[in-house]
Amino acid sequence: MSMLNDVACVLASQEELKQICKDLGEQITKDYEGKNLLVVSVLKGAVVFMADLLREIKCDCRIDFMAVSSYSGTKTTGVVKIKKDLDVDVAGCDILIVEDILDSGLTLSYLKKILEDRNAASIKICTLLDKPENRKADIKADYIGKVIPDEFVIGYGLDYDEKYRNLPFVGVLAEHVYADK
Ligand code: IMP
Ligand code: MG
């Protein structure tokens, strides 16, 4: 069975995603010219977006990765566990956190707090997708690719049960996939 059978509809096509990366990259290049940019990506969902966005950023930058997981049963409190920390010392860096999707915002607000304690020069957030309807934490992204309705999406790095990350577009997960579970 093809992955495509599990896509209810396309929310952001390959062409649109390409344009989003171009536009965001242009803004970020302007804003970070002459600064000490460190692009931080949150594994694993953001890697596809990060890879495309990076090639649209034309000023000097470094990259690093973090992996986090929600403590089981406490997702609503936004307490996350760091599974892989940054390699770089962020003191004095202008951090740009790159995320796949900002949903409740609990993960990112916790992550931002952790990084705020490390003496970075600045911290901003760039998210490919924003689902503002479901926000629980008081957090906003500084750069947003696309605002989407409160639906479960897959592709372009985003997964359902670790599947569909390799779809080249963002689509809504078909109901039959999780109805069977
Ligand atoms: P938050 O803490 O609720 O903002 O959750 C953020 C994380 O949940 C994202 O980085 C994704 O990994 C995951 N997530 C939230 N919504 C979706 C979705 O629609 N599809 C796939 N993953 C999602
Ligand atoms: Mg994620």
Side-chain angles (χ1 to χ4, degrees), residues 23 57 66 97 122 128 147:
D23 293 344
I57 296 176
M66 265 182 118
I97 303 173
S122 68
L128 172 65
V147 178

Side-chain angles (χ1 to χ4, degrees), residues 10-137:
V10 175
L11 265 192
S13 67
Q14 282 180 267
E15 294 70 30
E16 186 176 358
L17 290 165
K18 197 170 176 194
Q19 191 59 48
I20 286 172
C21 289
K22 257 187 150 62
D23 293 344
L24 290 175
E26 203 176 296
Q27 284 181 55
I28 291 165
T29 302
K30 271 196 206 124
D31 294 350
Y32 285 91
E33 197 71 71
K35 298 210 170 163
N36 188 12
L37 175 58
L38 175 67
V39 182
V40 170
S41 174
V42 186
L43 296 171
K44 298 175 239 181
V47 290
V48 178
F49 173 47
M50 160 90 144
D52 282 345
L53 177 66
L54 265 182
R55 282 170 281 188
E56 302 294 344
I57 296 176
K58 312 292 182 192
C59 58
D60 290 342
C61 72
R62 293 180 294 163
I63 68 171
D64 204 351
F65 298 91
M66 265 182 118
V68 297
S69 68
S70 302
Y71 278 114
S72 51
T74 60
K75 208 179 172 163
T76 47
T77 67
V79 177
V80 296
K81 184 179 164 192
I82 298 181
K83 291 202 291 186
K84 186 226 166 285
D85 206 338
L86 299 173
D87 296 327
V88 172
D89 176 7
V90 303
C93 288
D94 294 294
I95 300 177
L96 182 65
I97 303 173
V98 171
E99 251 291 38
D100 49 0
I101 191 164
L102 189 51
D103 187 19
S104 73
L106 293 169
T107 313
L108 263 189
S109 64
Y110 187 75
L111 207 68
K112 206 176 168 196
K113 271 193 204 104
I114 293 174
L115 294 177
E116 272 164 0
D117 290 335
R118 297 186 184 179
N119 299 315
S122 68
I123 305 176
K124 281 190 183 182
I125 293 168
C126 174
T127 188
L128 172 65
L129 303 169
D130 188 10
K131 272 200 242 181
E133 282 170 50
N134 201 27
R135 196 77 87 249
K136 295 192 177 78

Side-chain angles (χ1 to χ4, degrees), residues 117-172:
D117 290 335
R118 297 186 184 179
N119 299 315
S122 68
I123 305 176
K124 281 190 183 182
I125 293 168
C126 174
T127 188
L128 172 65
L129 303 169
D130 188 10
K131 272 200 242 181
E133 282 170 50
N134 201 27
R135 196 77 87 249
K136 295 192 177 78
D138 181 24
I139 192 159
K140 265 193 215 149
D142 302 278
Y143 304 93
I144 299 166
K146 185 171 182 151
V147 178
I148 62 165
D150 189 14
E151 300 203 71
F152 197 86
V153 294
I154 49 168
Y156 201 66
L158 290 142
D159 74 304
Y160 172 68
D161 228 359
E162 293 300 323
K163 220 175 138 185
Y164 311 110
R165 292 193 198 275
N166 54 326
L167 281 174
F169 55 85
V170 176
V172 176

